[in-house]
């Protein structure tokens, strides 16, 4: 039976399904009309109490100074009315080569303006704990309000932690005081005057100051020093800080840089392989900043899509962490069981002191049971976090998800639709003050409850007065392995909601995947040095100057005390996307969405689409203007809208203005994934990843800023994917994580069989002309064994031979291709032709049998300190008039064929289909098939019940490793490493 007659048979069913589908879609407000997520108005008054509720959180006014554990709510700060500058200045250059056109997504970079030097100097100095600001005449003129309430909420020498509501209230009060003047000079003066007052807790002051900085556009201009230099004790182990102090006690000329690496945490066992991710200074600094920008209390106006961003940002962290585990030979993240008395498997020793209180964050032994917590400072208060209550809150939320409606306080219900459902769920789960029914779902939110239970798990009844563990504070929680298993459990709750939404279909329904008239013909990533689609990671070091933050008590360290902090890094690269635009199609404004995911699981088996969609992590999102005909889109990795640079050290900040102008001035707002962690660590032999790029209609994706676009005169550049437009709308209308946030679409197996979910990314992508994928290998170069235990077992990757990439005729052949005939100086390699590398334990070792190559130490990789490329714009689009003669295409040899299969709609069993058929007029039958299967799936179709069900074994074949045998002429070895 031919395709057309087959299509005819199902067209009637498609019509029927369209009627059904309307029931699902009528409330979503789509149909090509630009839309906005999230309520524009604050919803707190409508649904969410601002006041503390119930016995769980204790009395509102504590009688005793709060030294211990309080779970009240409170603290009001101002957080509205400001907005992050739009992308307008960068957009023009982004699309300049493409002939103009507005760019919606605020690209990371661009712009710049005057910095008030004297104010900047003062601002810097108020973060310098070696200075006694009480006696500084510049700040004595400011009149500070009585801070008695601040001190009562968090005494000066208390151990500050963010899930203590009293402490948060103290931060809110400081922030309110600092944003009150609405004048940067006065704010800095007030801050300087307040900092060293006898009752001011330094950790409260820092967070209040950061909160004010992030919420006020007038303060954006001021460069914040890196948080590791302001409060090193919360990011660096006590052992390393002790070593740094010892250096500080020596004559300045004889001091050495204290190396901070993973050696301190060896007692954390195999999990210590990931110390460089979990304990990365910028990761933890970012997490602190994110929660300061999106606080769950102390605000009266809901940030645009805050709840959804809570879901998505943490989802992306987990997916990213998952890839990091694979590269270290560790298994997937499993959701943590938080039932009563359930043991917490992971032990963790943070090696972290709080220098202000003199306390140490308590380590957690393995298998500690989850128990109710109490605080003893306030007499007569019953357990404040109950495990049973938390279990109940989880069950209520998940029941509401299954019922597709939330229970409201008045007994009514609120639908959980595809547009706002995830946002409201984020508010409920965390919970923010905008949760619609705190009495029912938990005012504190089962997310916050769990952080407290885990933070106090060593002494839940407070019998010994142990300080809490790191899970109770946002600046430290991402250090702990349990953070990821815990957040995975919440991600499953969010995903339950997503699984119950209709999958995005190719042409029908809500936000269909296809964009008519747009086709990606090929995709590649080109490293600055090396071979196309082969990326490299390595360990690097960055020097920070700790002397100003070593001691809140001004211990009198004179001169610089530096720490050489080890971090993962990668060589920069460029995405190249070749796309055709039919002149008759839309305006051509395209949103480019870039994701990456591991291709194989920890056992070397190929992920199927059900599995892989959950572990895709976003790398970039930007807007370009496509010209009619062929286009080449190029985008630098350093321009990622996900990441920010490492902030400038104090020492760099103190350079003269002239010095700074040479290197493009960089400021630091703190919100954004650390750029050096954009890519997961590769392996010595090369770890295969799938890169996925999708173009969607930028006109439909456009979200206008709420306020008039205005840039701060400085260069505060939060990363828009995680941080939106600060204090304004989120700039992308689609659900965060689109298209992987929902289950993959169904494809019919054959005309007599039931449809099925597409199995692989290849199949998924081949149905979407405006999407493409490429296999990318990430190779880790350089030594790391001194601090990183290497995986013990070699993994054999099992490729599905039927899905192997087929070379595609190159429409836009590269120009002069070059391939070094011999390795770079200092590098030797040997290539193995072993088809199936043996499963030997040494094959991950350098030069091991079956390993791809061996390297000898090479020179340092190019420093990333040069930072973002000038302009820092969106993708560049080059219309290509004569395919085959691409000017300026500095070609590289492609050893891995591009994977963009023909747009084959159906599976291999339908041989009579034209695999290159781009006439999609027959696709409407999918509506019926998918609706049919969707309902069956809900009733227990196996694909949905077993999300990790592997592909059928017979589909697997042993495969040659030749794709992954990489040439190591990237000079990615840091010769200073480990010295
Ligand atoms: Cu960011 Cu649990 O939310 O840490």
């Amino acid at each position: 039976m031919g395709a057309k007659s087959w299509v005819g048979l199902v067209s009637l069913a498609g019509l029927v399904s369209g009627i059904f589908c309307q029931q699902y879609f009528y409330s979503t407000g789509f149909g090509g009309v630009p839309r906005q997520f999230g309520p524009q108005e604050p919803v707190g008054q409508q649904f969410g109490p601002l006041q503390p509720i119930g016995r769980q959180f204790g009395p509102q006014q504590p009688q005793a100074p709060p030294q211990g554990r309080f779970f009240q709510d409170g603290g009001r700060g101002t957080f509205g009315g400001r907005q992050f500058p739009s992308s307008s200045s960068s957009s023009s250059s982004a699309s300049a080569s493409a002939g103009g056109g507005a760019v919606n997504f605020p690209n990371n970079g661009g712009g710049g303006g005057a910095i008030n030097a004297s104010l900047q100097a003062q601002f810097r100095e108020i973060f310098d704990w070696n200075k006694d600001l009480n006696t500084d005449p510049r700040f004595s003129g400011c009149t500070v309000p009585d801070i008695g309430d601040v001190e009562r909420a968090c005494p000066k020498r208390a151990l500050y932690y963010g899930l203590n509501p009293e402490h948060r209230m103290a931060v809110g009060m400081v922030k309110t005081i600092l944003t009150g003047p609405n004048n940067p000079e006065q704010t800095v003066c007030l801050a300087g005057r307040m900092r060293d007052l006898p009752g001011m807790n330094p950790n409260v002051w820092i967070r209040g100051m950061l909160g004010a900085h992030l919420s006020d556009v007038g303060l954006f201009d001021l460069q914040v020093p890196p948080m590791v230099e302001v409060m090193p004790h919360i990011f660096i182990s006590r052992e390393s800080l002790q070593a740094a102090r010892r250096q500080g006690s020596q004559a300045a000329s004889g001091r050495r840089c204290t190396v901070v690496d993973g050696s301190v945490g060896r007692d954390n066992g195999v999990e210590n392989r990931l110390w460089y991710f979990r304990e990365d200074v910028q990761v933890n600094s970012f997490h602190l900043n994110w929660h300061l920008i999106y606080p769950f209390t102390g605000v009266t106006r809901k940030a645009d899509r805050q709840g959804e961003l809570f879901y998505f940002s943490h989802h992306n962290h987990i997916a990213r962490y998952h890839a990091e585990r694979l590269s270290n030979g560790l298994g997937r993240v499993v959701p943590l069981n938080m039932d009563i008395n359930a043991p917490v498997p992971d032990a963790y020793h943070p090696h972290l002191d709080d220098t202000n209180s003199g306390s140490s964050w308590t380590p957690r032994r393995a298998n500690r049971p989850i128990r109710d917590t109490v605080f003893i400072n306030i007499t007569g208060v019953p357990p404040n976090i109950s495990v049973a209550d938390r279990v109940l809150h989880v069950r209520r939320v998940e029941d509401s998800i299954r019922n597709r409606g939330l229970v409201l306080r008045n007994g009514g219900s609120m639908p959980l639709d595809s547009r706002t459902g995830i946002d409201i769920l984020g508010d409920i789960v965390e919970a923010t003050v905008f949760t619609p029914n705190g009495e029912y779902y938990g005012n504190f939110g089962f997310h916050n409850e769990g952080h407290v239970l885990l933070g106090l798990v060593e002494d839940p009844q407070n019998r010994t007065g142990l300080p809490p563990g790191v899970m109770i504070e946002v600046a430290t929680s991402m250090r702990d392995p349990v953070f990821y298993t815990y957040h995975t459990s919440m991600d499953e709750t969010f995903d339950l909601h997503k699984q119950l939404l209709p999958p995005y279909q190719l042409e029908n329904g809500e936000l269909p995947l296809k964009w008519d008239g747009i086709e990606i013909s090929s995709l590649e990533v080109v490293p600055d040095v090396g071979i196309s689609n082969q990326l490299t990671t390595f360990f690097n070091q960055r020097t920070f100057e700790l002397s100003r933050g070593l001691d809140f008590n001004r211990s009198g360290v004179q001169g610089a005390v530096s720490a050489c902090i080890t971090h993962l890094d990668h060589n920069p690269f460029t995405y190249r996307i070749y796309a055709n635009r039919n002149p008759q199609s839309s305006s051509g404004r395209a949103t480019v969405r870039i994701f990456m995911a591991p291709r194989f699981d920890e056992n070397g088996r190929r992920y199927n689409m059900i599995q892989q969609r959950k572990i895709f992590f976003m790398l970039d999102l930007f807007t370009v203007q496509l010209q009619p005909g062929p286009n080449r889109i190029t985008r630098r990795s350093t321009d990622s809208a996900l990441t920010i640079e490492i902030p400038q050290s104090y020492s760099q900040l103190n350079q003269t203005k002239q010095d700074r102008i040479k290197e493009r001035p960089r400021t630091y707002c703190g919100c954004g994934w650390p750029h050096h962690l954009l890519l997961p660590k590769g392996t010595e032999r090369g770890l295969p990843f799938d890169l996925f790029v999708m173009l969607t209609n930028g006109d439909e994706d456009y979200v206008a800023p709420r306020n008039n676009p205005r840039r701060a005169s400085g260069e505060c550049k939060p990363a828009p994917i995680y941080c939106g437009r600060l204090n304004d709308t989120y700039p992308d209308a689609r659900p965060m994580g689109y298209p992987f946030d929902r289950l993959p679409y169904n494809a019919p197996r054959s005309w007599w069989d039931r449809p099925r979910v597409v199995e692989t990314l290849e199949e998924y992508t081949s149905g979407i002309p405006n999407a493409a994928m490429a296999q990318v290998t990430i190779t880790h170069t350089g030594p790391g064994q001194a601090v990183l235990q290497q995986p013990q077992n070699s993994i054999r990757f099992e490729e599905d031979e039927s899905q192997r990439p087929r070379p595609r005729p190159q429409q836009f052949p590269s120009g002069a291709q070059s391939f070094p005939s011999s390795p770079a100086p200092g590098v030797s390699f040997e290539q193995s032709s072993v088809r199936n590398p043996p499963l030997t334990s040494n094959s991950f070792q350098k030069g091991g049998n079956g390993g791809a190559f061996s390297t000898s130490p090479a020179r340092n990789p190019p420093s990333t300190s040069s930072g973002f490329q000038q302009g820092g714009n969106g993708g560049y689009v080059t219309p290509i008039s004569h395919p085959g003669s691409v000017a300026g295409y500095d070609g590289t040899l492609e050893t891995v064929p591009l994977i963009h299969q023909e747009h084959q709609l159906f599976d291999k069993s339908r041989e009579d289909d034209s695999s290159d058929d781009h006439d999609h007029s027959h696709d409407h039958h999918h509506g019926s098939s998918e609706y049919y299967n969707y309902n069956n799936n809900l009733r227990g179709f196996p694909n949905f019940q077993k999300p990790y069900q592997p592909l059928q074994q017979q589909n697997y074949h042993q495969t040659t490793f030749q794709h992954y045998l990489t040439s190591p002429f990237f000079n990615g070895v840091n010769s200073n490493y480990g010295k």
Side-chain angles (χ1 to χ4, degrees), residues 818-857:
S818 62
F819 187 85
S821 55
S822 61
V827 178
S828 63
F829 68 95
E830 46 189 83
Q831 193 152 315
S832 165
S833 60
V834 178
R835 287 185 64 82
N836 296 312
L839 289 164
T840 53
S841 61
N842 68 346
S843 58
F844 269 86
Q845 303 303 313
K846 183 185 291 186
N849 185 20
F853 58 86
S854 61
T855 60
S856 61

Side-chain angles (χ1 to χ4, degrees), residues 34-47:
R35 70 202 172 94
Q36 294 192 8
F37 269 94
Q40 293 293 305
E41 298 304 320
V43 294
Q45 291 83 345
Q46 291 174 296
F47 306 116

